[in-house]
Amino acid sequence: MSHDVVIVGARCAGAPLAMLLARQGRRVLVLDRTRFPSDTVSTHFMWPRTTAFLDRWGLREKLAATGCPPIDVVRMHWGPVTVQGRPAAVDGNDTMYCPRRTVLDALLVQAARDAGAEVREGCTVRNLMTEDGRVAGIVADDAEGKSFTAMARVTVGADGLFSHVAAAVEAPIERTHPPLTCGFYAYWSGVPTEGVEFYLREGRDVLVFPTHDGRTCIWVGRSACEWNLYRSDVEGNYLAGLDSSLRERVGAGRRETPFKGTNKLPNQYRRSHGPGWALVGDAAYHRDPLTGMGIGDAFLGAELLAEALHTGLEGNSDDVLDAALAGYEKAFRERTGPVFDYTLQSAALKNPAALVPFYEAIARNSGLTQSLMDVLGGTLPARALFNASTITRYIGGA
Ligand SMILES: Cc1cc2nc3c(=O)[nH]c(=O)nc-3n(C[C@H](O)[C@H](O)[C@H](O)COP(=O)(O)OP(=O)(O)OC[C@H]3O[C@@H](n4cnc5c(N)ncnc54)[C@H](O)[C@@H]3O)c2cc1C
């Protein structure tokens, strides 16, 4: 049977896209080489902008029912200053979560199935099929290694940073900045945290998140150039990266998992549409994880692409479809561009002492605190707060 859309990859981008298209009544196949529940190398904090998608899709309550602790306070430590607050609600939703990917991704896959998408796990896409210069489907191996094909009007690569679909269509990288950070994380018991804690220091960032099963996920990042040094003694360097008070708390707890880490953190947009194909999620756009936007951006991409395909698949015109896919890419880049720039600035891990007085002013002023929280949460452009006139107004000529 031919499908409207075949999606390669069934995590944060692919599974919601399959769900949304199936809810439109489209014939959708989504494949993943893994079987769910399945973990991946990623921390998993979700700002209100991210949980708002789950809310809209009817999945937030399901996530809450998995025992994922709701998060309602953010503590941002910048140099000697601590700013505490929470981002404003997005579509009435101000709760944050940090669900294990084993739980979140399985929930998204189930939602795709429930909506009527055909989900095939343990299937690896090997090649794309083409017809008259357009991508026309996939060639894949099933779990037993048996090859099969699936035809579709649109093939979507939701297959992550190292996208096979992107490579097959030779999607160019159109904006890029080399990796700025690297890091390791692990899950701890006995290290309670009320809300999330972010520590931005010269050359390092530490992120502390409460997650399922009473555990705390702690990421310790460093400048990318320190990767080899960091890897030479992961535990020693990880612990050395913690502020002394946090190191004491961690010392009283217990590490429950091995360290996981990566330095493969490029900042880039890929061309994400062409004749009969599209990219979504990390395949289309990757940015340093420091700002915690990847899952929300995958959700955003899924929603924008589903909307574009709703129009593009009406009728049988390739021109209409191609125009809709071009519109998707444009809309996605407009929505994510400001945070891309802000992420590059933050991930440089520079802590200019000159900004400490401004952070002190932010900590003293509830309006500025709210603005900072909204910048962190990805709903206020950084330049709305970090601009010369606001900074001068609050810290004078200093
Ligand atoms: C260290 C780290 C920390 C992060 N922390 C956060 C955070 O706190 N908050 C946040 O919002 N984001 C975070 N992110 C980003 C987030 O993990 C990603 O943006 C998100 O996972 C992207 O989802 P995706 O569905 O596009 O891709 P992926 O999650 O990479 O999923 C791609 C899927 O495609 C499948 N696949 C690949 N190739 C094939 C093939 N040939 N055939 C079949 N299947 C295939 C894979 O098996 C995989 O399941 C972090 C990332 C990293 C690396």
Side-chain angles (χ1 to χ4, degrees), residues 8-14 31-34 36 38 40-46 50 98 101 105 123-126 158-164 183 185 207 209 219 261-262 264-265 280-283 285-287 289 291-298:
V8 186
R11 289 190 188 267
C12 299
L31 310 121
D32 204 299
R33 64 185 170 206
T34 199
F36 297 93
S38 157
T40 186
V41 178
S42 171
T43 62
H44 30 79
F45 178 59
M46 306 201 309
T50 308
C98 189
R101 291 291 295 265
D105 295 10
C123 294
T124 304
V125 172
R126 302 284 181 203
D159 48 347
L161 174 60
F162 304 104
S163 170
H164 188 82
Y185 65 98
L207 314 173
F209 310 110
W219 160 272
T262 182
K264 302 209 168 35
L265 300 171
V280 68
D282 278 8
Y285 168 53
H286 193 272
R287 81 315 294 135
T291 42
M293 296 291 163
I295 298 169
D297 288 338

Side-chain angles (χ1 to χ4, degrees), residues 60-250:
R60 193 180 69 82
E61 289 303 320
K62 289 190 176 171
L63 178 66
T66 66
C68 192
I71 297 169
D72 54 18
V73 61
V74 173
R75 284 196 185 82
M76 166 82 181
H77 302 271
W78 174 276
V81 189
T82 301
V83 185
Q84 180 174 322
R86 72 194 291 180
V90 176
D91 297 338
N93 187 322
D94 62 359
T95 307
M96 296 160 277
Y97 291 96
C98 189
R100 288 296 302 258
R101 291 291 295 265
T102 43
V103 176
L104 175 69
D105 295 10
L107 186 146
L108 296 171
V109 168
Q110 188 56 44
R113 267 203 183 97
D114 292 345
E118 181 184 349
V119 182
R120 294 191 63 172
E121 301 179 35
C123 294
T124 304
V125 172
R126 302 284 181 203
N127 272 313
L128 301 187
M129 294 191 294
T130 52
E131 235 175 55
D132 302 329
R134 299 182 71 82
V135 174
I138 53 102
V139 182
D141 289 344
D142 69 13
E144 284 72 46
K146 203 165 143 241
S147 182
F148 66 95
T149 60
M151 307 286 290
R153 270 195 81 198
V154 182
T155 300
V156 177
D159 48 347
L161 174 60
F162 304 104
S163 170
H164 188 82
V165 174
V169 298
E170 299 181 5
I173 289 173
E174 293 183 328
R175 193 176 166 198
T176 182
H177 193 290
L180 288 160
T181 73
C182 61
F184 287 88
Y185 65 98
Y187 296 88
W188 298 79
S189 59
V191 188
T193 167
E194 195 196 320
V196 288
E197 305 168 32
F198 298 146
Y199 300 80
L200 266 185
R201 306 290 185 231
E202 180 76 38
R204 64 194 165 91
D205 67 305
V206 177
L207 314 173
V208 181
F209 310 110
T211 186
H212 283 99
D213 306 319
R215 291 188 179 173
T216 300
C217 174
I218 305 180
W219 160 272
V220 181
R222 286 178 178 258
S223 296
C225 58
E226 292 196 68
W227 177 242
N228 286 333
L229 174 76
Y230 199 160
R231 276 197 310 170
S232 66
D233 172 13
V234 173
E235 181 158 28
N237 286 312
Y238 176 97
L239 293 173
L242 304 174
D243 282 25
S244 55
S245 59
L246 180 57
R247 199 177 314 128
E248 268 174 40
R249 281 160 60 202
V250 164

Side-chain angles (χ1 to χ4, degrees), residues 350-382:
K350 297 278 176 232
N351 182 9
L355 266 187
V356 167
F358 187 50
Y359 272 86
E360 285 169 342
I362 291 173
R364 285 193 301 268
N365 179 307
S366 61
L368 291 179
T369 294
Q370 189 58 54
S371 294
L372 176 67
M373 290 297 142
D374 294 340
V375 170
L376 296 176
T379 55
L380 183 71

